[in-house]
Amino acid sequence: MASEESGSPPTKDNPYQQTYVVRKGDTLSKIADEYYGDARLYTKIFEANRDVLTDPNKIRPGQKLRIP
Amino acid sequence: MRTTMKWLALLVVTLFVAACAGQKEPATKAVTEIEASVNTLREDAAKYAATELETVEDGLASLKASLANGDYKSVLAAAPAVSTQLSTLQQTVAEKKQQAEAAFAAATEQWKTLSTEVPDMVAAIQSRVDILGKSKRLPKNVSAESFEAAKQGLETMKASWSEAGSHFSTGEPVDAVAKAQEAKDKGTEVLQLLGMS
């Protein structure tokens, strides 16, 4: 089983930054479309979650993602 | 008869001078004591009870003028009232100083929280505004008007936060907290406009 954890240090949590818990069938593009109105901006979510994601195409239901 | 009148007049003058000389010392003492108390209190009084200080200063000036004119009777008659005003001033200054110190301590404590909260808020909003600025279209829950208002709100918020920092760095935590709270309130409004709350 490939781990999605990376060795990068955890980002300081900002209580005013939104978070999203991944559901079955979600993709970063879909989440970006919902929060930003533009699926292309999925990279913003990926970059903000590099401490838990190594591949933008691999997200798991239940994962809590920061939405910058 | 003329000689008797002359002696009587001299006696009256002598008694008057003696009476005045008897009043000079307590009159001078009263003015000196009041002036010393006002001098001790002046700096704090100017800060916490300027109007009351002005009243006491006027009273003291009047006493000093009477003393300079040798009108010791007037000094002794007016001194108790000025002393009462001075006591009231001392009490007012003590109370207001205590209140100010309590407010200072409370504001310093509040600042610890706000100095973390507001920058976090600014960072979260700035990030979202920057990202939405690159979006082809806005998300369903954010209208174009809301987005514009959010951008303006963010700038207002940053300006208030900057003022708050200036106040705090110049030792004015009460004003700093007021400005920081203003920034936080604006931030709460902006978070709603952006659908982030």
Side-chain angles (χ1 to χ4, degrees):
Chain A
M1 183 178 143
S3 171
E4 287 173 356
E5 303 283 333
S6 78
S8 55
T11 309
K12 172 192 168 274
D13 279 329
N14 180 337
Y16 296 101
Q17 189 175 59
Q18 283 181 293
T19 55
Y20 178 79
V21 178
V22 177
R23 288 176 298 197
K24 193 178 175 188
D26 278 341
T27 63
L28 287 187
S29 298
K30 190 178 162 190
I31 299 167
D33 188 53
E34 184 182 334
Y35 282 92
Y36 306 144
D38 189 341
R40 296 174 312 153
L41 294 170
Y42 74 90
T43 52
K44 301 293 181 186
I45 301 172
F46 177 60
E47 290 302 327
N49 292 278
R50 287 301 297 264
D51 58 328
V52 292
L53 299 179
T54 51
D55 184 338
N57 294 311
K58 287 182 181 173
I59 58 173
R60 286 191 315 242
Q63 271 182 320
K64 192 175 176 183
L65 302 178
R66 300 181 196 92
I67 312 294
Chain B
M1 181 67 182
R2 198 176 283 174
T3 310
T4 307
M5 288 297 287
K6 196 175 169 184
W7 279 107
L8 265 176
L10 185 63
L11 180 65
V12 168
V13 169
T14 305
L15 284 172
F16 179 75
V17 169
C20 286
Q23 288 178 328
K24 184 179 179 181
E25 195 182 328
T28 305
K29 190 175 176 227
V31 172
T32 305
E33 285 176 1
I34 291 170
E35 189 171 25
S37 296
V38 172
N39 286 341
T40 305
L41 199 61
R42 187 171 284 113
E43 195 180 332
D44 284 343
K47 196 171 171 183
Y48 300 114
T51 308
E52 291 90 335
L53 173 64
E54 203 178 320
T55 305
V56 172
E57 294 270 32
D58 288 346
L60 176 61
S62 177
L63 290 180
K64 286 168 82 175
S66 297
L67 188 67
N69 291 334
D71 189 357
Y72 308 125
K73 191 178 171 187
S74 294
V75 172
L76 291 174
V82 179
S83 288
T84 303
Q85 289 170 345
L86 179 61
S87 296
T88 305
L89 176 65
Q90 285 168 328
Q91 199 178 341
T92 305
V93 168
E95 283 170 9
K96 291 195 175 177
K97 193 174 178 181
Q98 195 177 16
Q99 286 168 6
E101 283 169 356
F104 189 97
T108 304
E109 198 56 37
Q110 269 182 287
W111 179 259
K112 286 181 193 167
T113 308
L114 286 166
S115 63
T116 303
E117 283 181 340
V118 179
D120 277 351
M121 217 178 209
V122 169
I125 293 168
Q126 183 73 67
S127 167
R128 183 61 61 90
V129 164
D130 290 346
I131 292 172
L132 292 183
K134 291 173 185 159
S135 180
K136 281 195 294 185
R137 61 185 171 85
L138 292 167
K140 288 172 190 163
N141 60 344
V142 181
S143 68
E145 292 77 18
S146 295
F147 186 49
E148 281 309 309
K151 285 194 282 187
Q152 287 173 14
L154 174 60
E155 293 310 311
T156 304
M157 192 186 173
K158 288 196 285 190
S160 296
W161 177 240
S162 173
E163 280 186 63
S166 300
H167 281 302
F168 192 78
S169 62
T170 52
E172 300 164 321
V174 175
D175 293 331
V177 163
K179 275 288 164 193
Q181 190 58 52
E182 206 174 291
K184 188 181 172 184
D185 292 345
K186 180 54 76 178
T188 303
E189 198 182 297
V190 173
L191 287 170
Q192 283 176 347
L193 288 167
L194 294 172
M196 294 173 71
S197 58

